[in-house]
Amino acid sequence: MTKAELRKYYLNQRLSLGDEEFARYNFDICENFFTQLDLQNVKVLHSFIPMENTREPNTRMIIYKATEQYPSLKISVPKINVQTVEIDNYYYEAPEQLKANAWGIPEPQYGVPTVTEDIDMVLVPMLIADQNGHRVGYGKGFYDKFLATCKRSCIAVGLCFYEPITLIDDINKLDMPLHYCVTPVKVHHF
């Protein structure tokens, strides 16, 4: 299937999740993340803040647990730059720093900019991945552009409610693959 077909299908799947199932999936993703991924050498963790209207995985659970277990860890959050069609990043300070943009994405309204070279791990929003680590996002390419600018040692981790499919038909050279995909079932390493 193409990205457009997969995007439509998996977004509908996600929106149809019941509250109990949604909560359980989020809990299991958080548990799997901390069971399988080591944050010992991660100084800056970049994380999207979930859009509630599309039922994205709850990164707030991961952020809370990560900063509790690793007090020196810094969290960076994205802000869409519509003029440059890129992501600007800011250190996360407090919930009051965030405000939903026109798409419903919570974004920092102020803060200290994060230098992209300082980011060690990125939690990537997505709808589905394939067995090669390619992902279907929302189709604008913001994260592919961002990941292309990160240092080579930066680890890209997708969070997804569904297990990877065999293949996404229309992958191109601009698509940046993930290193890991955390699902409620397990952590996939690519």
Side-chain angles (χ1 to χ4, degrees), residues 27-46:
F27 177 83
D28 291 345
I29 284 174
C30 186
E31 290 297 303
N32 287 339
F33 180 88
F34 286 98
T35 301
Q36 298 295 315
L37 296 173
D38 183 14
L39 299 183
Q40 199 69 35
N41 296 317
V42 175
K43 292 181 177 72
V44 179
L45 172 66
H46 181 280

Side-chain angles (χ1 to χ4, degrees), residues 136-160:
V136 174
Y138 296 101
K140 301 293 184 197
F142 286 105
Y143 269 84
D144 290 313
K145 289 177 188 174
F146 168 52
L147 291 172
T149 66
C150 291
K151 62 187 174 187
R152 292 191 84 202
S153 61
C154 184
I155 301 165
V157 181
L159 304 178
C160 187

Side-chain angles (χ1 to χ4, degrees), residues 8-23:
K8 182 178 180 183
Y9 177 80
Y10 282 99
L11 182 55
N12 285 333
Q13 289 293 107
R14 208 164 66 186
L15 291 171
S16 70
L17 289 173
D19 290 343
E20 192 173 300
E21 190 175 31
F22 180 69

Side-chain angles (χ1 to χ4, degrees), residues 41-108:
N41 296 317
V42 175
K43 292 181 177 72
V44 179
L45 172 66
H46 181 280
S47 178
F48 67 95
I49 303 297
M51 289 188 289
E52 293 180 15
N53 60 339
T54 63
R55 295 185 79 101
E56 285 185 316
N58 186 354
T59 57
R60 288 179 177 96
M61 294 170 68
I62 293 173
I63 291 168
Y64 176 77
K65 192 169 181 176
T67 54
E68 188 177 69
Q69 289 184 5
Y70 304 92
S72 63
L73 179 71
K74 293 181 180 178
I75 303 297
S76 178
V77 293
K79 180 173 182 156
I80 301 297
N81 186 325
V82 181
Q83 285 78 30
T84 63
V85 193
E86 293 178 351
I87 293 175
D88 296 328
N89 302 295
Y90 295 86
Y91 286 109
Y92 179 70
E93 298 170 16
E96 304 79 46
Q97 178 188 17
L98 305 176
K99 182 179 175 189
N101 68 14
W103 295 300
I105 303 169
E107 295 183 323

